[in-house]
């Protein structure tokens, strides 16, 4: 029989058994199962190390919960729509469907080889009509609820992906530019950044297109405030979302604008036709007296109106809307309109300016060049007055408003009746007293642009009719399935003529289908719900089950999803709740962001050529290694040497189980050191359980390794006690099983464990080991002290070692005086403390107690006082562990308790036995 563990050989067998016994299938009668989920993979064709780490974490936790007796829902599916499949199909002269299905087959094989235990009966694939029909159904429900908008907008366009992008899919990248504009130091808009596509890093441009949006901004407040309650989410992810949502408190200030009349649709009646009110948002309303102009974004309604009657404005608007915001700078065009300052009544010029963003605040600003950097830059460019209205409190601060804005707080000046007030006071009074200035909150969050001009996604269920406009497709005509793939350079749906031509559901006349598909992040916004009832035909998910089973108990994935997937998922859940489909408003209770696996200090990536394939070192070695290398949230370095450690742990455990079966000859009569081992098995169970609960698999692995080492030593020390030793080995098999399930199963089987370890009960301690840390520390420090004495005294060959536990009265003394000692280390009255001890009737003499109390007071470190036990239990711990001393020093050991007068009595302290070593002097 071999004692070499060959994972490749055993894996197929156990995988067959697990599948045969349906061990990962959620029982039909499960009531509120523990829902453990890893972010489902994009179907790229191969698993990479990030996937392996992600799924090793969820799998270990799911297995652990199952052994704890939970019903566990641990499903897997495929994020299968998306541009890469379309590109791959185009290059390989195939179609996205065939390509994606081939990828799925390959990745599923890989997941199975790794031994991840999924309930495959719940598999979902987002590119199948059975799934994406529900995207269309949700689109319609959101449409009816007023959460879908169709708008002509200037949107982000990736020329390489040939599609628009959502705001969250545009990333900022620092670029080096040689030229710098003069006098604009510290100016936010002049910082050299480039906006690039999240997928292909191509610089993003602008396009004017009619597009579909989900109005996620309707939920900005709830998405923001709800973050506070997500206590089991990493702070980092919550902070990223908080910043992305970008809540800002400030004021809305109304300016009357004249000179835009005539074409204004907003001017509702004849009397007001001459003026219109433009609201601006400002976080610093107290600077209102410093406003010297008003500026609106090129997308603002007022800009439209003004453009209609002014060719210069029209040309500017046209120009800016097609350009990248980075190129627009502080350009602008003065209009014929004028705005009336709400406090001074002064007439201010009105500009259309590209630096004012349409979807930030109200899309209009009051220009306060003296106290806002961007307004300052604009004023310099257009020769506008700069009027200071806030002066620093500290008069020695040098302020030169011509060269720089002063953006701090201070004392108001040139501000009418508010002059002389501090910024904050002025702000409050203005809000309270001026009708045109009102409290307001804005959010940086934009609506979610879901249109994509690509093929491989969910068709948007709308037709365009010349007579009726945009008409949603009736539910009974869903799903709108994708037509066959057409290889073309533009949008393939646009080229699918036959598919595109349809009839209008309203008037029956000829109409065209919408050719945009949905952002694939729509698919992933609700997939966790489909896993509850994957085969359901008349609804996307079972509402009753969802109410019982949600939220997802533990969700694991990469932090890069913080503002895309994880924000959209929260939005979707809230919207579905408002549609009456869910009770829960938050989808995920506990979120874990896994760290990165590094190689030579860099993230593994195929473009850098530093990829380690999951199979390279053997599937189970890899998963055991990624779990034992570091805390799940930390990055760690892949080194062959450390992988070896994981490999050796497997060989050790397997070798010990094999040897046990072969040796057979075991002791029946119990000896004290069996008690130590039994306690250590219990202590390890408690420690490992705690580590699994906290996702600290690396520390669980360390505990397992320690127990294995101890068991080996125990076996070598003396013929093992059959029952105790077997329990130790079975415990190891069970404790390692969540991380290395094939190994766990193989060892469990060799040791004749009951049933399958995957279905076994989680081990429980046989004795009370609540104090296990203290017990371990006593043994460790005693051993270290013996070692120390042997070294310091240069003892070659100790013959006998006495371990002497302190007298009972010392434990009692500490208990009696604990509080006093803690409080009065310095200058305590030793005499009165000694009196108290003696009055309590302890069995001790004053001449013994006095120096002990003095010594206690003199010690700086009183941690030992916190964990005082009693002489009897210390003695029995030392007796059980005496074999470790014998084993290490090859000497006889005695453990006894000191009595007064004993020469070792004075040295013995609670938690610190006196040690005496006899040896042959040479
Ligand atoms: Zn791109
Ligand atoms: Zn029609």
């Amino acid at each position: 029989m071999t004692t070499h563990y060959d994972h490749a050989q055993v894996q197929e067998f156990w995988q067959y058994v697990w599948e045969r016994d349906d061990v990962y299938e959620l029982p039909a009668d499960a009531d509120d199962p523990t829902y453990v989920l890893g972010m489902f993979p994009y179907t790229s064709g191969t698993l990479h190390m990030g996937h392996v780490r992600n799924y090793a974490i969820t799998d270990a936790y799911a297995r652990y919960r199952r052994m704890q007796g939970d019903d566990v829902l641990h499903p897997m599916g495929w994020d299968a729509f998306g541009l890469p499949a379309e590109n791959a199909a185009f290059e390989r002269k195939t179609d996205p469907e065939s390509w994606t299905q081939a990828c799925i087959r390959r990745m599923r094989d890989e997941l199975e080889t790794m031994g991840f235990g999924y309930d495959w009966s719940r598999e979902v694939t987002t590119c199948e009509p059975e799934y994406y029909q529900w995207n269309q159904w949700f689109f319609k429900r959101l449409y009816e609820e007023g959460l879908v908008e169709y708008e002509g907008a200037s949107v982000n366009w990736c020329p390489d992906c040939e599609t628009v992008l959502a705001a969250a899919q545009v990333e900022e990248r620092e670029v080096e530019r040689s030229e710098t504009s003069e006098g604009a130091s510290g100016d936010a808009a002049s910082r050299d950044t480039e906006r690039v596509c999240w997928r292909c890093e191509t610089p993003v441009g602008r396009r004017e297109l009619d597009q579909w949006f989900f109005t996620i901004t309707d939920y900005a407040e709830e998405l923001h405030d709800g973050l506070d309650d997500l206590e089991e989410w990493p702070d980092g992810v919550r902070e990223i979302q908080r910043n992305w949502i970008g809540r800002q408190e400030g004021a809305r200030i109304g300016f009357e604008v004249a000179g835009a009349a005539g074409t204004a649709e907003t001017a509702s009646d004849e009397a007001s036709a001459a003026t219109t009110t433009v609201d601006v948002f400002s976080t610093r309303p107290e600077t209102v007296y410093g406003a010297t102009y008003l500026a609106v974004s090129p997308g603002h309604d007022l800009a439209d109106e003004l453009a209609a009657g002014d060719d210069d404005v029209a040309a500017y608007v046209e120009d800016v809307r097609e350009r990248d915001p980075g190129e627009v700078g502080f350009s602008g065009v003065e209009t014929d309109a004028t705005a009336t300052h709400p406090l001074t009544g002064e007439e201010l010029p009105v500009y259309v300016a590209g630096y004012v963003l349409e979807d930030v605040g109200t899309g209009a600003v009051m220009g306060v060049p003296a106290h806002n950097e961007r307004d300052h830059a604009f004023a310099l460019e257009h020769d506008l007055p700069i009027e200071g209205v806030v002066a620093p409190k500290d008069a020695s601060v040098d302020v030169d408003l011509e060269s720089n804005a002063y953006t701090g707080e201070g004392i108001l000046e040139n501000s009418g009746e508010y002059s002389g007030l501090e910024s904050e006071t002025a702000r409050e009074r203005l809000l309270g007293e001026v009708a045109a200035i009102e409290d307001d909150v804005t959010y940086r969050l934009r609506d979610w642009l879901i249109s994509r001009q690509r093929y491989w996604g969910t068709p948007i269920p709308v037709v365009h009719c010349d007579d009726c406009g945009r008409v949603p497709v009736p539910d009974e005509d869903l799903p709108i399935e994708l037509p066959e793939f057409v290889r073309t350079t533009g949008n393939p749906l646009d080229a699918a003529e036959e598919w595109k031509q349809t009839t209008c559901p309203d008037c029956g006349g000829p109409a065209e289908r919408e050719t945009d598909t949905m952002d694939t992040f729509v698919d992933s916004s609700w997939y966790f719900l489909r896993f509850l009832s994957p085969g359901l035909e008349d609804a996307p998910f079972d509402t009753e089950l969802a109410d019982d089973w949600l939220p997802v108990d533990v969700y694991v994935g990469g932090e890069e999803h913080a503002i895309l997937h994880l924000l959209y998922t929260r939005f979707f859940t809230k919207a579905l709740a408002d549609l009456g489909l869910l009770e829960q408003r938050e989808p995920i209770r506990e979120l874990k962001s896994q760290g990165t696996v590094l190689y030579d200090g860099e993230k593994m990536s195929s473009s850098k050529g530093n990829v380690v394939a999951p199979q390279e070192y053997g599937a189970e070695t890899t998963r055991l290694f990624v779990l034992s290398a570091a805390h799940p949230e930390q990055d760690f370095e892949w080194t062959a040497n450390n992988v070896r450690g994981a490999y050796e742990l497997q060989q050790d455990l397997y070798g010990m189980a094999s040897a046990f079966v072969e040796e057979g000859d075991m002791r029946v009569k119990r000896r004290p050191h069996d008690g130590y081992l039994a306690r250590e098995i219990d202590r390890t169970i408690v420690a490992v359980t705690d580590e699994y609960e906290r996702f600290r698999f690396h520390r669980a692995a360390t505990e397992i390794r320690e127990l294995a080492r101890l068991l080996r030593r125990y076996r070598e020390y003396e013929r093992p006690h059959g029952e105790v030793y077997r329990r130790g080995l079975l415990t190891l098999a069970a404790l390692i099983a969540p991380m290395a399930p094939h190994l766990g199963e193989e060892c469990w089987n060799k040791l004749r464990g009951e049933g399958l370890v995957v279905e076994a009960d989680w081990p429980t301690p046989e004795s009370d080991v609540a104090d296990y840390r203290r017990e371990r520390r006593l043994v460790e420090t005693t051993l270290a002290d013996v070692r120390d004495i042997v070294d310091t005294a240069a003892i070659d060959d100790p013959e006998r070692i006495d371990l002497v536990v302190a007298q009972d009265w010392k434990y009692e003394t500490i208990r009696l005086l604990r509080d006093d000692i803690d409080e009065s280390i310095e200058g305590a009255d030793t005499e009165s403390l000694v009196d108290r001890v003696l009055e309590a009737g302890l069995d001790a003499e004053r001449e013994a107690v006095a120096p002990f109390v003095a010594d206690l007071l003199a010690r700086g470190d009183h941690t030992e006082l916190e964990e005082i036990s009693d002489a009897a239990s210390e003695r029995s711990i030392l007796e059980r562990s005496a074999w470790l001393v014998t084993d290490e020093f090859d000497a006889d050991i005695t453990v006894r308790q000191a009595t007064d007068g004993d020469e070792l009595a004075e040295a013995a302290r609670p938690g610190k036995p006196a040690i005496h070593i006899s040896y042959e002097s040479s």
Side-chain angles (χ1 to χ4, degrees):
M1 195 185 263
T2 175
T3 51
H4 177 79
Y5 175 60
D6 184 347
H7 169 259
Q9 246 173 33
V10 304
Q11 73 175 24
E12 226 168 297
F13 176 70
W14 290 115
Q15 284 169 13
Y16 159 77
V17 172
W18 294 332
E19 198 180 324
R20 184 197 64 197
D21 291 5
D22 282 338
V23 297
Y24 304 116
E25 210 169 295
L26 184 69
D29 60 352
D31 178 36
D32 191 12
T34 301
Y35 193 167
V36 182
L37 189 63
M39 290 183 184
F40 68 165
Y42 176 69
T43 48
S44 61
T46 45
L47 287 188
H48 55 67
M49 203 54 80
H51 289 129
V52 171
R53 193 175 187 197
N54 188 340
Y55 304 144
I57 294 165
T58 47
D59 194 54
Y61 190 70
R63 288 171 183 278
Y64 164 69
R65 299 294 343 162
R66 198 176 289 114
M67 290 174 79
Q68 281 284 12
D70 293 12
D71 287 328
V72 174
L73 174 58
H74 186 221
M76 181 43 80
W78 310 102
D79 189 11
F81 268 143
L83 189 54
E86 205 170 323
N87 292 342
F90 189 85
E91 282 160 22
R92 290 170 178 76
K93 299 196 165 55
T94 172
D95 62 278
E97 165 87 37
S98 315
W99 163 259
T100 302
Q101 292 298 349
C103 288
I104 290 175
R105 279 193 296 278
R106 204 157 52 230
M107 291 174 80
R108 195 178 145 147
D109 264 2
E110 289 182 313
L111 288 175
E112 285 180 342
T113 304
M114 296 302 296
F116 296 134
Y118 297 116
D119 182 348
W120 284 111
S121 70
R122 294 172 182 273
E123 181 177 9
V124 302
T125 305
T126 60
C127 67
E128 288 169 357
E130 293 72 34
Y131 185 88
Y132 72 69
Q133 63 175 323
W134 299 112
N135 290 342
Q136 296 173 340
W137 189 86
F138 286 131
F139 177 95
K140 286 200 58 197
R141 301 292 86 77
L142 296 176
Y143 186 88
E144 289 156 6
E145 195 71 10
L147 292 170
V148 179
E149 274 179 9
Y150 187 70
E151 272 184 10
S154 174
V155 292
N156 298 302
W157 173 266
C158 174
D160 191 56
C161 298
E162 291 186 73
T163 183
V164 303
L165 301 170
Q169 290 166 336
V170 177
E171 293 176 353
E172 296 243 321
R173 189 171 67 179
E174 300 270 335
V175 287
E176 283 182 35
R177 270 186 202 148
S178 46
E179 30 168 336
T180 45
S181 52
E182 271 174 59
S185 59
D187 194 309
S190 75
R191 211 183 298 133
D192 286 344
T193 56
E194 190 172 35
R195 300 163 65 259
V196 299
C197 170
W198 68 301
R199 191 190 287 115
C200 69
E201 297 191 8
T202 303
V204 167
R206 305 292 288 178
R207 274 228 179 161
E208 184 74 28
L209 286 171
D210 289 331
Q211 297 288 280
W212 294 97
F213 293 85
F214 285 162
T215 57
I216 186 172
T217 51
D218 290 357
Y219 288 85
E221 186 180 353
E222 194 189 343
L223 286 167
H224 178 272
D225 294 352
L227 289 169
D228 291 340
D229 301 325
L230 297 178
E231 283 165 9
E232 291 180 82
W233 281 41
D235 288 341
V237 173
R238 290 197 284 172
E239 197 50 27
I240 290 169
Q241 286 207 0
R242 207 170 271 128
N243 289 336
W244 183 254
I245 296 165
R247 183 179 194 276
Q248 277 199 315
E249 284 182 21
R252 186 176 286 256
I253 307 175
F255 284 78
E256 293 301 313
V257 174
T263 56
E265 284 172 50
T266 47
S268 52
D269 55 86
E270 302 297 314
S272 69
T275 65
T276 177
T277 302
V278 172
D279 283 341
V280 306
F281 176 81
S282 170
T283 55
R284 304 205 44 206
E286 72 278 14
T287 63
V288 64
Y289 281 91
T292 56
Y293 66 97
L294 187 85
V296 300
S297 76
H300 196 278
D301 286 345
L302 183 67
D304 272 356
E305 290 168 29
L306 294 167
D310 184 332
D311 290 346
D312 288 348
V313 174
Y316 179 75
V317 168
E318 184 73 14
D319 182 42
V320 167
R321 299 197 78 191
E322 295 284 330
R323 281 202 290 166
D324 188 88
E327 299 168 22
V328 172
F330 292 100
S331 65
V333 59
E334 189 173 357
T335 71
D336 295 335
T338 51
T340 308
H341 192 288
L343 284 127
T344 64
E346 210 180 320
E347 297 287 294
L348 305 179
V350 175
Y351 282 79
V352 176
Y355 84 97
V356 182
L357 300 178
E358 183 180 351
D359 42 13
V360 174
T362 59
V365 302
M366 60 173 187
V368 185
H371 305 295
N372 178 291
E373 286 169 353
R374 290 159 62 81
D375 297 347
H376 192 270
F378 186 80
L380 288 184
E381 193 102 10
H382 299 271
D383 267 335
L384 287 157
I386 298 169
E387 288 172 14
V389 292
V390 181
K393 259 196 212 172
D394 179 356
S396 68
V397 174
D398 204 21
V399 174
D400 173 12
L401 292 178
E402 286 307 314
S403 52
N404 276 308
Y406 171 68
T407 56
E409 306 253 297
I411 308 290
L412 264 68
E413 56 186 19
N414 307 323
S415 295
E417 60 182 288
Y418 300 94
S419 294
L421 296 177
E422 290 193 19
S423 303
E424 198 182 326
T425 316
R427 186 151 62 227
E428 278 161 21
R429 279 192 46 193
L430 281 159
L431 282 165
E433 295 167 5
V434 181
I437 303 180
E438 278 179 69
D439 262 327
D440 198 14
V441 171
T442 66
Y443 296 89
R444 175 177 174 256
L445 185 68
R446 326 284 167 82
D447 279 333
W448 176 10
L449 168 54
I450 61 148
S451 290
R452 293 294 178 275
Q453 290 70 45
R454 304 301 317 186
Y455 169 81
W456 197 228
T458 305
I460 291 175
V462 170
V463 302
H464 297 270
C465 168
D466 281 345
D467 292 333
C468 314
R470 295 177 298 277
V471 183
V473 175
D475 282 1
E476 58 269 25
D477 294 339
L478 299 183
I480 309 296
E481 292 194 33
L482 284 168
E484 251 180 66
F485 182 58
V486 186
R487 298 181 72 230
T488 163
T489 47
N491 178 358
L493 287 186
D494 217 24
E497 273 306 321
E498 208 176 307
W499 176 85
K500 204 165 76 170
Q501 301 307 329
T502 184
T503 50
C504 170
D506 275 5
C507 69
E512 282 195 357
R513 289 194 188 286
E514 170 63 61
T515 56
D516 284 351
T517 52
M518 294 184 203
D519 183 359
T520 56
F521 280 97
V522 175
D523 314 355
S524 51
S525 289
W526 68 280
Y527 78 109
F528 60 94
L529 286 161
R530 189 66 183 166
F531 283 134
L532 306 184
S533 37
L536 204 61
E537 284 177 7
D538 55 0
F541 59 91
D542 183 323
T543 290
E544 216 169 293
L545 275 188
D547 291 342
D548 286 346
W549 294 8
L550 283 187
V552 173
D553 291 281
V554 176
Y555 194 34
V556 182
E559 198 182 60
E560 66 272 21
H561 298 286
I563 51 167
L564 289 162
H565 170 55
L566 289 169
L567 188 64
Y568 294 149
T569 295
R570 293 184 61 220
F571 157 66
F572 231 78
T573 304
K574 293 173 194 307
L576 296 187
D578 286 337
L579 291 170
L581 295 167
L582 272 180
E583 276 174 10
Q584 287 288 342
R585 300 190 72 86
E586 287 287 352
I588 299 147
R589 183 175 58 79
E590 183 171 5
L591 177 72
K592 296 277 171 200
S593 297
Q594 103 254 8
T596 309
V597 183
L598 305 170
Y599 195 88
D600 284 342
E602 288 195 77
K603 184 177 177 170
M604 283 189 194
S605 87
S606 40
S607 61
K608 291 192 195 111
N610 63 350
V611 172
V612 176
Q615 312 284 3
E616 205 169 315
Y617 288 81
E620 199 159 63
T621 301
T622 297
R623 59 182 290 182
L624 186 56
F625 171 59
V626 298
L627 289 172
S628 58
H631 188 282
E633 299 194 341
Q634 276 166 350
D635 296 349
F636 72 88
E637 178 77 23
W638 181 282
T639 64
N641 205 25
N642 292 342
V643 179
R644 183 137 202 101
Y647 174 81
E648 278 163 5
L649 176 59
Q650 295 170 65
Q651 297 302 338
D652 281 355
L653 299 188
Y654 180 79
M656 287 164 72
S658 301
F660 174 82
V661 175
E662 280 163 38
E663 282 164 12
D665 181 25
M666 295 289 149
R667 183 159 46 80
V668 178
K669 197 163 178 293
R670 279 233 189 196
R671 310 220 313 125
H673 72 294
D674 299 327
Y676 178 80
L677 186 69
R679 293 284 288 176
E680 197 51 39
I681 292 167
D682 287 349
R683 287 192 280 258
T684 303
I685 291 169
V686 173
V688 170
T689 305
D690 188 43
E691 304 300 3
Y692 270 112
E693 287 291 337
R694 302 159 97 176
F695 286 83
R696 297 196 301 210
F697 307 108
H698 59 307
R699 292 174 66 155
T702 303
E703 288 285 346
I704 290 167
R705 199 172 265 131
E706 292 292 322
L707 180 59
R709 200 171 289 151
L710 183 74
L711 279 170
R712 205 177 319 119
R713 198 169 162 194
Y714 168 85
R715 188 190 64 198
E716 284 160 10
Y717 179 72
E718 206 200 325
R719 195 155 55 100
H721 185 277
E723 219 173 279
V724 175
Y725 186 51
R726 176 170 176 268
R727 176 165 172 262
L729 294 172
L730 274 171
T731 301
L732 283 178
L735 297 180
I736 197 87
M739 292 191 274
H742 306 94
L743 172 71
E745 209 67 85
E746 188 70 10
C747 292
W748 187 261
N749 184 54
K750 269 189 184 297
L751 298 164
R752 303 267 175 277
E754 205 187 320
L756 295 169
V757 75
V758 70
E759 294 180 310
D761 288 340
W762 188 248
T764 48
E766 285 178 348
S767 56
D768 176 14
V769 282
D771 288 342
Y772 80 89
R773 287 195 178 85
R774 190 180 52 75
E775 292 181 12
R776 280 181 170 177
R777 200 145 40 229
L778 176 67
V779 173
E780 276 161 25
T781 54
T782 305
L783 276 165
D785 288 348
V786 173
R787 245 172 249 140
D788 215 34
I789 296 168
V790 168
D791 282 355
T792 318
I795 301 171
D796 286 336
D797 186 16
E799 267 181 9
R800 208 184 99 146
I801 300 173
D802 288 3
L803 303 178
V804 183
V805 173
Q807 306 91 307
D808 288 328
W809 65 261
K810 289 186 175 172
Y811 296 84
E812 289 305 316
T813 299
I814 290 178
R815 248 186 281 278
L816 271 171
L817 303 183
R818 178 148 43 198
D819 296 340
D820 300 275
I821 292 168
D822 271 355
E823 279 163 23
S824 57
I825 296 166
E826 296 293 327
D829 178 1
T830 314
E831 281 306 304
S832 73
L833 293 178
V834 172
D835 288 344
R836 271 185 49 200
V837 172
L838 294 171
E839 277 160 25
L842 295 193
D843 179 19
E845 301 294 329
R846 176 174 288 274
E847 49 271 30
V849 174
F852 179 68
V853 170
D855 182 51
L856 274 179
L857 290 172
R859 267 171 214 287
D861 178 17
H862 287 92
T863 46
E864 63 190 78
L865 304 184
E866 295 303 317
E867 38 188 57
I868 188 75
S869 73
D870 58 75
S873 70
E874 274 191 17
R875 187 173 168 175
S876 66
I877 292 165
L878 291 174
E879 276 166 353
R880 288 195 302 259
S881 59
W883 69 283
L884 295 172
V885 187
T886 310
D887 189 40
E888 185 172 342
F889 300 97
D890 194 21
D892 294 335
I893 309 297
T894 59
V895 178
R896 61 185 171 81
Q897 187 177 12
T899 47
D900 288 330
D902 188 327
E903 59 177 311
L904 290 171
E906 202 181 317
R909 297 206 320 268
K912 198 123 171 111
I915 298 165
H916 183 261
I917 304 179
S918 326
Y919 57 98
E920 195 89 26
S921 51
S922 51

